[in-house]
Amino acid sequence: MSVLKILPDIYSVGVVDWDVRNFHGHTYTTKRGTSYNAYLIIDDKITLVDTVMGSFTAEFIENIKQIIAPEKIDYIIANHVETDHSGALPEMMRLCPKAKIFGTAKCREGLYKHYYGNWDFQEVKTGDKLKLGKKTLNFIEAAMIHWPDSMFTYCPEEQLLMPNDAFGQHYATSERFDDEVDQCALMDEAAKYYANILWPLSSVILKKIEEIQKMDLPIKMIAPSHGIIWRKDPAKIINAYISWAKNETKPKVAIVYETMWGSTGKMARKIAEGIIQAGISTRIFDVAVTDRTEIIREMLDTRGFLFGSSTHDNDMLPAMAGFLELVRGLRPKNRVASTFGSYGWTGGAAKEMEVVLKEAGIDIASGGPSFKYLPDEREMKACYEFGSDFAKIIKGG
Amino acid sequence: MAKYKCMVCGYIYDPAVGDPEHGQPAGTKFEDLPADWVCPECGVGKDQFERMN
């Protein structure tokens, strides 16, 4: 990524990772790559806000060198410990050993437990201000958005919010701003990020947005640590976050299934026919072959979930088991779910899936069809009718 | 005295133990923790806790 002045004396100095396809281990697929954003403020005190993934350290330092000699940096703001933002910090501290790091108490602890560096670190709390010269930085603790150490940094003179991972997207682009990129791709990636990373933290997010709104901080620009910067319409992403955090849903159904010899798949498609005939939108996903990150993104604003699995070893199939474990951790609210599937002898998949859904606190609609071996005509009709009945529940809100 | 669970990270506040590291001695009821007390593990507020049965 080339260096870009985003505001007077504030530069984007981060890097684009065009090639990354898996994130957080293999929990999140990044089909569009990502960027690790960092910002350099030139003032009486030269200040760097966040760094980048360690493997991009050389490119990052080259970017900084286009503006100033790195050793001139006085302050480094560490909004978040995670290595995709702190990875270049050890090298930065080697280059500018007198630089002082600012972050939360949890950030101090977390950075130490990652790098074991003996660095000058000043703990900050919500309400603390740091005068740089002409510009000021205000700090807002943001615990669990999305780690205990997370913090937002706000520059009142420029009405700029630098919230690190919040409002970010895994979206590699040569453009830097929201008005320069495809809106569908942008919102798709923003929703995917929320669904796969922030969804279980919704109540914390909603409270934090309310807190910031009460602080009466005008926000002209939001510069996150991944993806594009929101300058044209920062309210668009804030409002989207409020809606996602409230678990607001649309009347549609996600059918997620796994099948051994095709019967459960056949049932899934017949159930979908009943749903569509009742006027409700639906998507069918074979969980064994579909990208989980994409399914979760689709589920974010979907009111109805149907999970289907053949019975295997008296339980659900393994890809479904893994997927439901993921859903359980995401703690969706205001949803209705049911289960279906084919079995050979005693069955068990439907029951086991319901156990996980109950633990996840998801309401279960009864009547999900379970049939032996290949469903006959009467049983296929029952699938269709179940789809139709489930659609009515979803329509009713 | 009831225990309370942090619904974000799973930490359990046990009043018998308290949170002495953050000035809350053993025997402090959850209800008596100050309003600005936060989960010692993940940092979220008291409102994110639920009473355990």
Side-chain angles (χ1 to χ4, degrees):
Chain A
M1 191 196 301
S2 51
V3 171
L4 184 74
K5 185 188 265 195
I6 62 162
L7 284 164
D9 299 317
I10 303 182
Y11 297 85
S12 166
V13 291
V15 297
V16 176
D17 189 344
W18 298 101
D19 303 327
V20 64
R21 290 294 177 268
N22 287 287
F23 212 80
H24 282 165
H26 283 71
T27 64
Y28 189 124
T29 57
T30 45
K31 285 184 178 170
R32 293 185 171 107
T34 194
S35 67
Y36 313 110
N37 303 343
Y39 303 98
L40 183 68
I41 306 171
I42 305 298
D43 208 329
D44 295 345
K45 293 290 183 188
I46 293 170
T47 303
L48 180 65
V49 180
D50 294 319
T51 74
V52 300
M53 181 93 110
S55 49
F56 287 85
T57 301
E59 185 181 336
F60 174 58
I61 288 169
E62 282 307 309
N63 285 351
I64 293 171
K65 278 183 183 167
Q66 289 184 37
I67 314 293
I68 48 120
E71 55 269 25
K72 287 190 174 167
I73 291 171
D74 299 290
Y75 298 152
I76 298 176
I77 312 303
N79 279 316
H80 184 25
V81 162
E82 215 168 2
T83 54
D84 51 331
H85 309 294
S86 68
L89 191 57
E91 182 59 14
M92 289 308 299
M93 293 312 287
R94 200 186 63 77
L95 286 175
C96 21
K98 285 184 183 160
K100 184 185 262 196
I101 306 172
F102 295 80
T104 61
K106 290 280 187 194
C107 180
R108 182 206 283 262
E109 180 192 331
L111 284 179
Y112 185 75
K113 284 299 292 171
H114 277 76
Y115 305 109
Y116 300 94
N118 186 22
W119 300 328
D120 185 7
F121 190 105
Q122 186 172 326
E123 285 179 18
V124 292
K125 286 183 172 357
T126 298
D128 288 352
K129 293 176 174 34
L130 180 65
K131 195 84 189 147
L132 308 182
K134 285 184 203 143
K135 297 189 205 297
T136 318
L137 295 178
N138 300 354
F139 302 113
I140 303 161
E141 291 166 279
M144 296 317 280
I145 309 174
H146 65 120
W147 277 20
D149 51 85
S150 296
M151 177 173 88
F152 297 174
T153 298
Y154 176 74
C155 176
E157 290 82 7
E158 302 298 341
Q159 303 185 354
L160 166 69
L161 183 68
M162 292 173 281
N164 196 269
D165 278 336
F167 309 116
Q169 337 88 45
H170 288 310
Y171 188 21
T173 55
S174 56
E175 297 81 11
R176 291 283 74 228
F177 294 105
D178 53 351
D179 50 293
E180 299 173 324
V181 298
D182 180 82
Q183 294 301 295
C184 292
L186 171 61
M187 290 314 289
D188 185 45
E189 290 304 334
K192 205 185 289 178
Y193 193 96
Y194 190 96
N196 284 276
I197 294 182
L198 300 174
W199 196 351
L201 308 167
S202 288
S203 64
V204 181
I205 290 166
L206 210 50
K207 200 181 151 213
K208 187 56 61 179
I209 291 175
E210 281 167 15
E211 182 190 325
I212 291 173
Q213 285 172 336
K214 275 186 198 147
M215 286 176 179
D216 204 19
L217 306 177
I219 297 171
K220 249 194 211 164
M221 189 183 281
I222 299 176
S225 59
H226 294 292
I228 65 88
I229 297 168
W230 307 89
R231 74 171 171 193
K232 182 169 182 256
D233 192 8
K236 183 178 179 177
I237 190 62
I238 294 173
N239 289 335
Y241 264 51
I242 291 171
S243 174
W244 295 329
K246 285 182 174 169
N247 272 272
E248 289 178 351
T249 58
K250 297 187 177 96
K252 51 181 188 166
V253 178
I255 304 175
V256 183
Y257 78 96
E258 185 172 7
T259 194
M260 281 178 72
W261 292 107
S263 290
T264 301
K266 206 170 159 187
M267 291 171 73
R269 289 184 290 278
K270 188 53 82 179
I271 291 168
E273 277 180 35
I275 293 170
I276 297 162
Q277 197 58 37
I280 292 291
S281 175
T282 188
R283 297 285 180 274
I284 306 178
F285 303 101
D286 177 348
V287 72
V289 296
T290 313
D291 184 338
R292 283 188 313 231
T293 305
E294 302 288 337
I295 307 176
I296 295 295
R297 182 262 172 273
E298 174 63 23
M299 287 168 72
L300 177 62
D301 61 353
T302 294
R303 190 172 301 150
F305 302 159
L306 292 176
F307 299 103
S309 174
S310 323
T311 293
H312 178 262
D313 295 341
N314 309 330
D315 207 330
M316 68 188 101
L317 285 164
M320 178 58 80
F323 184 76
L324 279 185
E325 197 55 35
L326 185 61
V327 171
R328 192 170 75 97
L330 293 171
R331 292 188 289 246
K333 304 268 188 301
N334 310 331
R335 320 284 159 151
V336 184
S338 195
T339 62
F340 64 95
S342 161
Y343 61 92
W345 36 102
T346 316
K351 193 176 125 250
E352 294 301 327
M353 288 191 287
E354 283 187 13
V355 168
V356 183
L357 293 172
K358 275 181 191 153
E359 278 175 15
I362 299 173
D363 289 342
I364 298 173
S366 61
S370 274
F371 296 126
K372 200 165 192 172
Y373 294 125
L374 276 73
D376 61 20
E377 203 176 313
R378 182 189 57 81
E379 289 163 336
M380 286 297 273
K381 192 164 175 281
C383 287
Y384 180 91
E385 279 162 8
F386 170 71
S388 176
D389 291 344
F390 191 73
K392 279 177 203 140
I393 296 171
I394 298 310
K395 229 185 224 173
Chain B
M1 288 190 291
K3 292 180 185 176
Y4 279 72
K5 185 175 179 181
C6 174
M7 300 314 288
V8 176
C9 78
Y11 162 85
I12 293 166
Y13 178 79
D14 181 353
V17 178
D19 180 16
E21 214 179 305
H22 300 96
Q24 306 304 323
T28 307
K29 283 190 209 162
F30 182 82
E31 295 81 354
D32 295 337
L33 292 169
D36 61 356
W37 178 85
V38 295
C39 173
E41 289 295 338
C42 80
V44 301
K46 280 180 80 175
D47 59 317
Q48 302 291 339
F49 280 71
E50 277 183 15
R51 187 190 166 100
M52 294 173 76
N53 293 318

